[in-house]
Amino acid sequence: MRAPLIAGNWKMHTTVREARDLASGVASGLAGIADVDVVVCPPFTALAEVGRALGGSPVELGAQDLHWESEGAYTGEISAAMLWDLGCTYVIVGHSERRRLLGEEDEAVGRKVAAAASGELIPILCVGESLDEREAGRTERIIQTQARIGTLGLASEQAAQLVVAYEPVWAIGTGVPATGAEAGRIARLLREWLGEWFGDAAAGIRILYGGSVTPETIGEFVSQPEVDGALVGGASLNAGAFAAIVRAVAV
Ligand code: PEP
């Protein structure tokens, strides 16, 4: 009942021209694929061009961040309405790089998730523990707190649209993914907590795994009953590898 989702996070990579070429490669590599939702999240500067390059393909457009206000004196920021205007349907919120390197805190993440949902965008809320937190036995506490504060502004009917990405910080960009079993265990816990907070809506929330996913490892994650797909960083910058990840889920 939950459509699998593969999301590509291009981070701060690609010029507009490179982004257009990558988007065209992804769209043509996925021709004929059904039953998997696919979204690519280029930098803000390339959203319009990537939207054009994807035109007519089922691959959707997403952004990597947004501000919680709808407009105003917030220099450098981008609102949900601006993203929607560009054709975005998804937005990544609370990525660990923003939390860790740019000081984004749980409360801000929660406001952004609420703003995305109110602005007709599907938030992809990222949660995950650092290596230190893991070694200190705090994994569950950290993830539960991030997920709770991150979703506090959502009504149950909005929560049904939510996507949560479990991304252990130590697995991002390191080439050392979590095991499928570990991702499955955290996804089960997340769904239990989401059920306590949002009731039946939790059954519709998609939970992704992210962290060094490749075409070789994706199968291990999506074979877990509570894992509905992946948030992919590095491998999403290669159209062939990204398409192979999607194809592995579609099989
Ligand atoms: C990410 O940044 O969300 C991510 C999962 O990156 P990578 O796949 O490169 O580990």
Side-chain angles (χ1 to χ4, degrees):
M1 71 177 178
R2 294 185 298 269
L5 171 66
I6 300 294
N9 175 11
W10 295 1
K11 309 194 184 189
M12 197 171 73
H13 295 291
T14 70
T15 62
V16 172
R17 177 189 287 240
E18 289 164 348
R20 183 193 59 205
D21 293 347
L22 179 54
S24 301
V26 168
S28 58
L30 292 179
I33 290 280
D35 304 327
V36 184
D37 291 347
V38 182
V39 56
V40 293
C41 303
F44 290 132
T45 47
L47 282 170
E49 188 66 20
V50 168
R52 279 189 285 275
L54 294 176
S57 104
V59 179
E60 295 185 76
L61 186 64
Q64 299 175 19
D65 186 33
L66 81 169
H67 193 267
W68 56 81
E69 293 292 347
S70 52
E71 63 176 359
Y74 301 99
T75 302
E77 296 292 333
I78 308 273
S79 71
M82 293 169 181
L83 298 176
W84 190 85
D85 187 41
L86 284 168
C88 289
T89 46
Y90 289 82
V91 60
I92 297 170
V93 184
H95 191 280
S96 64
E97 285 151 13
R98 297 198 60 82
R99 292 177 187 266
R100 207 164 36 90
L101 304 172
L102 298 164
E104 198 162 297
E105 295 187 345
D106 289 336
E107 286 71 17
V109 172
R111 289 164 115 187
K112 291 181 177 196
V113 166
S118 302
E120 308 295 323
L121 300 172
I122 298 173
I124 302 176
L125 167 64
C126 299
V127 299
E129 82 286 5
S130 67
L131 190 57
D132 285 351
E133 289 161 347
R134 178 181 172 83
E135 288 176 350
R138 298 177 60 220
T139 297
E140 291 80 0
R141 168 61 75 86
I142 292 290
I143 294 168
Q144 188 182 36
T145 302
Q146 290 176 343
R148 177 67 289 215
I149 300 176
T151 58
L152 264 183
L154 293 182
S156 290
E157 59 278 11
Q158 291 176 313
Q161 294 295 313
L162 177 71
V163 177
V164 180
Y166 168 52
E167 297 210 303
V169 178
W170 47 269
I172 295 179
T174 59
V176 183
T179 62
E182 177 68 353
R185 185 181 78 82
I186 297 294
R188 256 194 323 280
L189 281 173
L190 274 166
R191 198 165 313 279
E192 268 174 41
W193 295 326
L194 291 162
E196 288 166 20
W197 306 330
F198 296 111
D200 292 346
I205 296 175
R206 287 177 294 180
I207 299 177
L208 311 182
Y209 166 76
S212 298
V213 170
T214 63
E216 291 72 37
T217 58
I218 182 67
E220 180 177 348
F221 298 108
V222 291
S223 62
Q224 302 292 322
E226 301 300 337
V227 175
D228 303 306
L231 178 54
V232 183
S236 72
L237 292 170
N238 178 311
F242 188 65
I245 289 171
V246 176
R247 284 185 181 281
V249 176
V251 168

